[in-house]
Amino acid sequence: MPQDDRDRWTRSYPWSLSYRWGHSALTADFDLSGDTPRLVRVRHPGDPEPAVPEEGKAEVTLPLLDVVLLGDGVGYSGPRFTGTALGRRMTYRAHRSTYGDGWHRLTFELRDAASGLTAFVEYASPDGVAVLRSRVRLRNDGAGTVTARSVGSLLVGGLPGADELLVFRARNDWGAECRWYAEPLRDSVPDINREAHGHTGHAAARLAGRGSWPTDGHLAMGGLVHRTDARSWLWQIESASSWSWEAGEAEGHTYLALGGPNHDEHQWREVLAPGGEFTGEWAALALGTCFDGALAELTAYRRLVRRPHPDHERLPIVFNDYMNTLMGDPTTEKLLPLIDAAAEVGAEYFCVDAGWYDDEPEGEGAGGGWWDSVGAWLPSARRFPGGGIGVVLDRIRERGMVPGLWLEPEVVGVRSPLARELPDEAFLRHADGSRVTEQGRHQLDLTHPAARAHLDRTVDRIIGEWGVGYLKLDYNITTSAPGHLDHSRAWLAWLSSVLDRHPGLVVENCASGGMRMDGASLAVAQVQSTSDQQDPLRCPPIAASAPTAVPPEQGAVWAYPQPSYTDAEIAFTLGSALLGRVHLSGRLDGMTERQRGLVREALAAYKEIRGDLGAAVAFWPLGLPGWEDDWVALGVRGADVEAGPVYVSVWRRGGDVAERVLAVPRVAGLGERGVRVEVVHPQVTGGTAEWDGVGVRVRMPEAPMVVVLRVTVV
């Protein structure tokens, strides 16, 4: 039986100084020569073997894990990840390697005699995928209570020195999501002359996300790219709550530390009574020969860890009545003609967005008066007279579409009767016992059975009684109150239970657009909102960069053609969505038949493309886009670099340059031979594209303009 197929604990002996674990795409080397194991490096098996360190000098002196206890400190005047007192005290007890269901797994068991704390450092990697997943479990086997104030997920050293690396981060703001930028790691980690001081400096590149909008400000991701050979390390922290990471220097090498919430950044702590346990958040590290390659590995991994669902293969077109359309003011009168128009152009789902529950007097709704009264989630009699919301839902079904509704389940308005009916314990509360209240709303705590029962009744009524098959789950407040980590885990567990009961349901994860675009949420929801951007000219850099955070078949991109748009503007907004998930909106009911024909043609093109998106990985022929770039391009290709078509969306938003040449994988190096370039959208366009023997030459004489291309080898 292969070594990784065994399922038993093994012990290290003094003469067993190293341990190599992994598979064809990734190996991890561990140093077991001391009392405390160390993760020396993570690499591709084909990479050159590293140089042997000088005799008596350890390659990496970082401990295997980073845990800080209250009253224990970090043990060093520097970053908490490189000098934890507890991490260096944890002694090796055993390790176990297993293989099953396509995953290689490795667990180290460590023990601290002083505190009685036992730690299990868990690694996992899918066979053939260059991604290492890691987390830490703690168990208090001592006689006294211990309090953790930091539990890291992954600590790895042995990366190239800071001089050799660029550090990548992605700003993620409301309406301006997924804006990647890079700088030399040395800018954050100055060289202070380690030999003169006897140790490395305290500086590091650090980033943290806080509270219930974990991707507000930055994505819960990062990357390192070698400045010479482009080798890349790309990571995500899988938390729907707070997180932090840092990259710094130790022993002349770069280290990387990833983790969930901690006391210093987030005022988090976990009290463990004797016998108590706590499990940290998962983090994942992908390796690649370039940024795009590392992302391809991470994309494959994301598909493996998410909940299986037929939506990931079908990719139905969703019409949503909100963006630049009804804007939270739905009524039967407004919806019926919109439903007919959406069906006529080819939409397959129709989601009624915010406002359907609003029974405030005329003029106080549409996102105003109902804001602090939500919670019961019952349809408005005023908005849906003469048969109620059932008339609207029936019309959607009659027109061959699946009905959907918007819901913001985690909040209860301060004026809602539910705010009085539910006990205080059903809400997140501050240390003094008062309820968390933000913008006139209380935050439910899904760890409490009363909160879960309320939401179970709500969704079972909407899905089971009303026949709704799509839920857009929004979240428009943010808090970092104590207990939010437990709530976020309970929220995702509750959502999984809903999908267990209603397996055909499709769930969209939204938080004011992309403010909760994290790996933990993506593993449960089928569709991810990427933005609330209402300006079609500002959508391309978001749409082009979204695949860094979410696989193409999950990333919802708005397309909102309007009767007032020119043909080129209609094509432009539709083109932004065709390499992701089309979230159609716009006043289709006010369009001419010719204009609706343009929409119909674009959606027909999408239906040809979408079968290839579920296994596609992204690349950027013009580089990751800048927010103000005149030209933006996104490409997707099959995971097998030698098979299938390549699709490229190219936008020109302005500027004087009317022509660009794109480098496209799979066709580079073919010279004049056998490359076909087709414009699949729009059908009538002033843009042209051709293979010139070096790259794909795109000409767009006007701006704004878009072309979506299919590139094949013939």
Side-chain angles (χ1 to χ4, degrees):
M1 179 180 294
Q3 179 173 333
D4 280 340
D5 287 345
R6 64 190 180 184
D7 187 8
R8 59 186 177 85
W9 289 97
T10 60
R11 292 189 177 275
S12 175
Y13 296 94
W15 54 85
S16 300
L17 302 182
S18 64
Y19 176 67
R20 175 165 289 180
W21 169 85
H23 49 82
S24 62
L26 176 145
T27 60
D29 292 335
F30 297 87
D31 180 355
L32 307 181
S33 60
D35 291 335
T36 302
R38 293 171 174 84
L39 175 55
V40 176
R41 72 184 59 83
V42 180
R43 66 189 188 95
H44 284 114
D47 290 347
E49 288 287 338
V52 177
E54 298 176 18
E55 185 176 353
K57 182 178 180 181
E59 248 185 304
V60 171
T61 61
L62 300 177
L64 200 62
L65 80 165
D66 159 55
V67 176
V68 180
L69 300 183
L70 192 67
D72 203 23
V74 298
Y76 176 70
S77 297
R80 67 181 184 90
F81 290 116
T82 61
T84 58
L86 180 66
R88 298 181 186 279
R89 292 202 314 259
M90 300 293 284
T91 58
Y92 172 88
R93 297 187 71 185
H95 68 275
R96 179 177 66 183
S97 173
T98 64
Y99 177 78
D101 301 323
W103 284 80
H104 301 263
R105 295 177 174 87
L106 172 66
T107 301
F108 280 88
E109 181 183 350
L110 310 173
R111 179 73 186 277
D112 174 42
S115 65
L117 198 64
T118 299
F120 301 91
V121 185
E122 299 179 347
Y123 301 101
S125 185
D127 193 45
V129 180
V131 173
L132 178 67
R133 194 184 204 200
S134 177
R135 70 177 181 183
V136 172
R137 291 188 292 118
L138 300 179
R139 186 179 68 213
N140 183 6
D141 291 329
T145 296
V146 296
T147 300
R149 63 183 181 99
S150 168
V151 180
S153 299
L154 174 66
L155 179 59
V156 58
L159 301 175
D163 289 320
E164 303 173 70
L165 297 171
L166 296 172
V167 59
F168 279 67
R169 289 171 270 211
R171 295 186 179 97
N172 200 67
D173 297 298
W174 181 73
E177 289 83 353
C178 299
R179 293 176 293 131
W180 285 86
Y181 63 102
E183 63 182 11
L185 181 59
R186 185 58 82 193
D187 286 358
S188 297
V189 187
D191 183 355
I192 64 168
N193 191 339
R194 181 165 58 100
E195 287 73 17
H197 293 274
H199 56 75
T200 307
H202 302 170
R206 297 186 178 92
L207 201 59
R210 294 175 177 82
S212 55
W213 277 2
T215 55
D216 178 25
H218 279 83
L219 292 178
M221 294 182 63
L224 294 170
V225 176
H226 198 281
R227 302 178 71 172
T228 302
D229 61 24
R231 281 179 296 152
S232 298
W233 299 262
L234 190 62
W235 59 85
Q236 67 176 24
I237 302 169
E238 298 168 15
S239 177
S241 187
S242 301
W243 53 269
S244 59
W245 64 257
E246 71 174 41
E249 198 169 34
E251 297 90 41
H253 299 282
T254 296
Y255 70 87
L256 176 65
L258 314 176
N262 61 74
H263 186 269
D264 295 347
E265 293 279 2
H266 312 105
Q267 291 73 57
W268 173 90
R269 62 181 187 176
E270 181 75 16
V271 179
L272 296 177
E277 298 187 11
F278 172 77
T279 302
E281 303 283 68
W282 283 111
L285 175 66
L287 282 61
T289 55
C290 60
F291 183 95
D292 295 2
L295 180 69
E297 300 294 326
L298 191 58
T299 301
Y301 162 83
R302 287 166 170 165
R303 288 171 173 146
L304 289 170
V305 298
R306 72 188 176 193
R307 181 188 179 97
H309 197 285
D311 181 79
H312 298 316
E313 285 74 46
R314 294 200 309 255
L315 279 62
I317 295 167
V318 178
F319 185 95
N320 181 294
D321 69 24
Y322 186 83
M323 191 60 71
N324 291 349
T325 307
L326 300 186
M327 299 298 290
D329 191 23
T331 66
T332 301
E333 181 181 11
K334 294 176 180 178
L335 284 167
L336 294 183
L338 204 52
I339 291 166
D340 293 343
E344 196 270 333
V345 299
E348 295 155 304
Y349 281 61
F350 190 104
C351 182
V352 180
D353 207 279
W356 59 267
Y357 41 80
D358 169 30
D359 230 2
E360 299 284 342
E362 190 73 39
E364 296 183 18
W370 53 259
W371 181 264
D372 60 357
S373 65
V374 296
W377 308 115
L378 297 171
S380 165
R382 176 178 65 83
R383 292 180 174 276
F384 307 105
I389 199 172
V391 172
V392 171
L393 301 179
D394 287 345
R395 182 65 154 265
I396 295 170
R397 283 186 285 265
E398 288 167 5
R399 295 309 309 266
M401 297 181 292
V402 176
L405 285 178
W406 178 96
L407 198 65
E408 194 170 358
E410 293 166 84
V411 300
V412 172
V414 296
R415 291 196 295 119
S416 171
L418 267 297
R420 298 182 294 275
E421 295 172 13
L422 292 172
D424 283 341
E425 294 78 11
F427 298 91
L428 281 183
R429 292 178 293 164
H430 296 291
D432 64 0
S434 62
R435 293 181 183 181
V436 170
T437 305
E438 296 289 344
Q439 302 178 60
R441 292 164 162 204
H442 300 309
Q443 164 75 57
L444 286 172
D445 182 352
L446 267 293
T447 66
H448 194 274
R452 292 196 302 273
H454 157 59
L455 293 193
D456 281 339
R457 289 191 297 270
T458 297
V459 299
D460 289 347
R461 177 178 66 248
I462 291 172
I463 302 166
E465 297 178 22
W466 302 355
V468 168
Y470 185 97
L471 287 179
K472 177 180 178 178
L473 301 183
D474 210 342
Y475 182 67
N476 292 299
I477 68 170
T478 180
T479 178
S480 56
H484 185 266
L485 177 62
D486 291 337
H487 161 77
S488 71
R489 294 175 172 183
W491 156 254
L492 293 175
W494 172 80
L495 188 54
S496 294
S497 73
V498 170
L499 290 164
D500 288 341
R501 296 199 305 278
H502 305 285
L505 177 69
V506 176
V507 169
E508 175 189 347
N509 179 53
C510 179
S512 286
M515 299 297 97
R516 190 157 61 178
M517 194 156 43
D518 61 273
S521 298
L522 282 168
V524 179
Q526 288 71 60
V527 181
Q528 173 64 51
S529 173
T530 59
S531 186
D532 276 350
Q533 177 55 248
Q534 292 179 247
D535 181 353
L537 280 176
R538 286 177 168 80
C539 284
I542 302 171
S545 297
T548 61
V550 52
E553 69 274 17
Q554 283 182 276
V557 178
W558 287 106
Y560 29 67
Q562 304 295 345
S564 61
Y565 284 8
T566 66
D567 290 0
E569 289 169 336
I570 290 173
F572 191 89
T573 184
L574 289 163
S576 292
L578 296 189
L579 295 188
R581 290 298 295 269
V582 176
H583 262 32
L584 185 65
S585 198
R587 294 307 306 245
L588 306 182
D589 53 325
M591 285 183 161
T592 66
E593 175 55 33
R594 183 184 58 80
Q595 288 176 317
R596 281 201 295 270
L598 297 176
V599 179
R600 193 182 308 113
E601 287 176 357
L603 298 186
Y606 179 72
K607 290 175 182 178
E608 291 183 16
I609 290 172
R610 64 184 175 184
D612 294 323
L613 297 181
V617 295
F619 66 95
W620 291 270
L622 299 176
L624 288 167
W627 186 244
E628 303 291 342
D629 286 357
D630 291 330
W631 284 72
V632 174
L634 165 68
V636 299
R637 60 171 179 81
D640 180 356
V641 74
E642 299 299 331
V646 175
Y647 298 98
V648 184
S649 290
V650 190
W651 298 263
R652 181 186 171 197
R653 298 193 292 171
D656 297 328
V657 177
E659 181 178 287
R660 295 294 299 268
V661 177
L662 313 179
V664 177
R666 193 177 294 145
V667 298
L670 289 183
E672 301 290 341
R673 296 177 292 122
V675 178
R676 177 189 297 146
V677 181
E678 306 166 81
V679 176
V680 298
H681 170 79
Q683 295 299 308
V684 179
T685 178
T688 62
E690 62 183 4
W691 174 247
D692 69 359
V694 177
V696 176
R697 186 175 298 274
V698 178
R699 298 182 183 92
M700 288 194 273
E702 305 290 338
M705 188 173 285
V706 68
V707 291
V708 180
L709 310 174
R710 181 190 291 116
V711 183
T712 52
V713 177
V714 295

